[in-house]
Amino acid sequence: MSTIFDKIINREIPATIVHEDEVSLAFNDINPVAPFHVLVIPKRPIVAVGTMTEEDEAVVGHLLRVCRLVANAAGHEHFRVASNSGAPAGQSVFHLHFHVLAGRDFSWPPG
Ligand code: DGP
């Protein structure tokens, strides 16, 4: 199923892209909840952590490294990575994405 993130990958709608490589794209979240809020997504249409397969392992590992790269590149040594898997967990776009949040203190547990 195509999502709004496919349109960003295909440059059909604009986004502020901060990183791109063969398998991943990272761009600013349209509704930031922290001073730094980037979404890291695979170009491959994986739906969520909850549906990923063994074949996705290398891509998902790469995405986590990109989370570190984009945070560090923006000057953030400390950051939170979050991924909502399934609507009850808060997922609203059904294309895997890691939220990378930084620039303020965070509490635990999340809401
Ligand atoms: P989640 O609720 O975990 O599925 O997060 C989806 C995120 O995607 C949410 O924080 C807002 C963001 N988002 C939704 N539509 C767009 C869009 O068109 N552009 C950008 N840059 N972000 C979007």
Side-chain angles (χ1 to χ4, degrees), residues 34-59:
F36 179 87
H37 187 169
V38 162
L39 301 174
V40 178
I41 71 171
K43 290 183 174 174
R44 180 192 295 191
I46 303 167
V47 171
V49 172
T51 67
M52 67 173 280
T53 67
E54 195 172 347
E55 287 74 46
D56 300 323
E57 280 182 4
V59 169

Side-chain angles (χ1 to χ4, degrees), residues 14-84:
T16 302
I17 292 169
V18 298
H19 174 92
E20 181 169 23
D21 59 47
E22 281 187 5
V23 298
S24 75
L25 190 70
F27 52 89
N28 289 344
D29 194 292
I30 203 168
N31 184 25
V33 298
F36 179 87
H37 187 169
V38 162
L39 301 174
V40 178
I41 71 171
K43 290 183 174 174
R44 180 192 295 191
I46 303 167
V47 171
V49 172
T51 67
M52 67 173 280
T53 67
E54 195 172 347
E55 287 74 46
D56 300 323
E57 280 182 4
V59 169
V60 173
H62 178 77
L63 297 178
L64 289 172
R65 192 167 68 82
V66 170
C67 290
R68 171 171 69 81
L69 291 177
V70 297
N72 289 173
H76 298 292
E77 181 186 358
H78 306 288
F79 52 88
R80 175 174 288 180
V81 174
S83 190
N84 301 320

